[in-house]
């Protein structure tokens, strides 16, 4: 029987980040051949298993800030790679480290806001987290380079958020959001915190994204989609981190790479995925902000330009004039765009028929909806659904 390398993967399976790392490792194995893998269900806070102390395997990939077992294994000559952030690790740790380029992530978000016209920036920081500190500092530096100013809110770490404390801090977060000069671009240290910022805005009536645009980090599909509006987020290229870790470990197991004394390998983020929470250009017209929020919130039914004008506190003519000046479009076209976006979401995320979608969204006929969709998207609804894998 073939003798495959025996590798322990000490990575949490409970969170999206850990699963993305494992998917990246899996991509390497699919391309380069199998390992005999030990993998168990884990939480991020779980200690390394005690059996690593005297385990006689061929390699280890761990994501532990206290890698006592893999350290001992490394001392016995077993190659090991650590995927925790290097600032949280002993600098004399005898194993290489691969992680996200957190400073580049922070700068990317500030640059994104600057390109959209924002000059007021804010950062939601996780108190005591080194990776959040590095994102914060780079975000502030990039904001200032763009000629902007930046505010910071210090959120408590997850271990401290329980019951009444969570509600109290959420009220504090809401008060902070309300106090910010607007329009403002807010970066949340990670997606869970981004979802909380959106909730805080809703508590005090701050419009997202018209008054406050919000971007998180991790591109976690759960938290980004549960948020309303959906949360924009940075895809940190976590699968590539897993892939590179597997490639490095494979080289180490062949004796082709050093295991200590090297600088940490930092993988740059892949992209910033824009969703509704930041999909706007910065401007200072509160009436148009109200109009855009009304259109977005009510795009699931037929609405008229006159109805939007009333909600915005403007005459129809003035509404149309400001839309053209600020957005280079008309209220009618913006309504149609928002409704087609609802159609797209239903085509992607449901198996509903065109007739059912048309009825749900209040179109007079499915044929009318299909014609409008093709005009807006350049293809019929059925073809669009197939192109998205549905």
């Amino acid at each position: 029987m073939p003798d495959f390398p025996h590798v322990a993967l000490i990575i949490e399976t409970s969170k999206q980040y850990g699963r993305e790392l494992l998917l990246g490792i899996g991509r390497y194995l699919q391309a380069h051949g199998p390992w005999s893998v030990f993998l168990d269900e884990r939480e991020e806070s779980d200690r390394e298993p005690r059996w690593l102390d005297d385990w006689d395997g061929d390699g280890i990939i761990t994501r532990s800030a206290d890698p006592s077992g893999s350290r001992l294994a490394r001392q016995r000559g077993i190659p090991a790679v650590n995927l925790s952030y290097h600032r949280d690790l002993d600098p004399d740790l005898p194993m290489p480290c691969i992680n996200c380029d957190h400073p580049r992530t922070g700068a990317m978000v500030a640059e994104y806001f600057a390109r959209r016209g924002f000059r007021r920036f804010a950062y939601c920081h996780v108190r005591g987290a080194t990776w959040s500190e590095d994102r914060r500092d780079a975000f502030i530096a990039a904001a200032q380079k763009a000629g902007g100013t930046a505010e910071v809110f210090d959120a408590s770490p997850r271990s401290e958020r329980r019951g009444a404390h969570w509600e109290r801090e959420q009220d504090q977060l809401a008060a902070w959001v309300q106090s910010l000069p607007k329009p403002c671009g807010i970066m949340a240290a990670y997606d869970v915190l981004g979802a909380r910022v959106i909730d805080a805005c809703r508590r005090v009536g701050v419009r997202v994204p018209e008054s406050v645009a919000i971007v998180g980090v991790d591109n976690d599909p759960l938290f980004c989609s549960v948020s309303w509006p959906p949360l924009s987020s940075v895809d940190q290229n976590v699968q590539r981190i897993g892939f590179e870790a597997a490639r490095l470990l494979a080289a180490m197991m062949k004796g082709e790479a050093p295991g200590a004394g090297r600088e940490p390998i930092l993988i740059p983020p892949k992209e910033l995925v824009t969703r509704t929470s930041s999909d706007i250009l910065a401007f200072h017209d509160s009436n148009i902000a109200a109009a855009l929020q009304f259109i977005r919130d009510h795009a699931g039914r037929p609405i008229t330009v006159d109805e939007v004008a009333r909600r915005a506190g403007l005459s129809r003519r003035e509404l149309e004039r400001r839309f053209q000046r600020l957005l280079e479009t008309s209220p009618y076209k913006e309504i149609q765009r928002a409704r087609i976006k609802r159609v797209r979401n239903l085509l992607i995320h449901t198996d509903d028929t065109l007739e059912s979608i048309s009825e749900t969204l209040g179109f007079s006929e499915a044929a009318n909806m299909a014609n409008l969709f093709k005009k807006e998207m350049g293809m019929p609804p059925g073809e669009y659904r197939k192109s998205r894998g549905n």
Side-chain angles (χ1 to χ4, degrees), residues 337 339-349 361 373 376-377 384 388:
R337 187 191 70 83
R339 284 176 59 69
I340 290 304
K341 186 173 182 180
R342 290 289 182 96
V343 176
R344 280 168 29 213
N345 287 337
L346 290 173
L347 288 171
I348 293 171
H349 299 297
L361 298 179
F373 189 94
E376 182 78 19
M377 300 300 300
Y384 179 85
R388 298 293 169 148

Side-chain angles (χ1 to χ4, degrees), residues 85-87 99-111 123 129-143 187 189 217 234 236 264-269:
Y85 195 35
H86 65 279
R87 285 191 56 203
N99 203 264
C100 305
D101 189 339
H102 297 298
R104 180 65 205 127
T105 298
M108 171 189 276
V109 178
E111 292 161 3
Y123 182 84
T130 56
W131 50 267
S132 181
E133 290 172 2
D134 287 354
R135 292 176 188 175
R136 177 199 63 197
D137 294 347
F139 176 83
I140 292 173
M187 177 181 179
V217 181
V234 177
Q236 295 192 93
I265 300 169
L266 301 181
I267 303 298

Side-chain angles (χ1 to χ4, degrees), residues 45-89:
S45 58
D46 288 351
R47 298 178 62 86
E48 287 188 335
R50 294 299 303 270
W51 53 259
L52 276 182
D53 295 355
D54 53 11
W55 180 62
D56 188 23
D58 298 300
I60 300 168
I61 300 178
T62 184
R63 197 167 108 83
S64 172
D66 181 25
S68 54
S70 53
R71 182 196 295 268
L72 292 173
R74 185 74 190 92
Q75 290 172 354
R76 299 198 317 275
I78 298 175
V81 176
N82 197 297
L83 301 184
S84 296
Y85 195 35
H86 65 279
R87 285 191 56 203
D88 296 327
L89 298 172

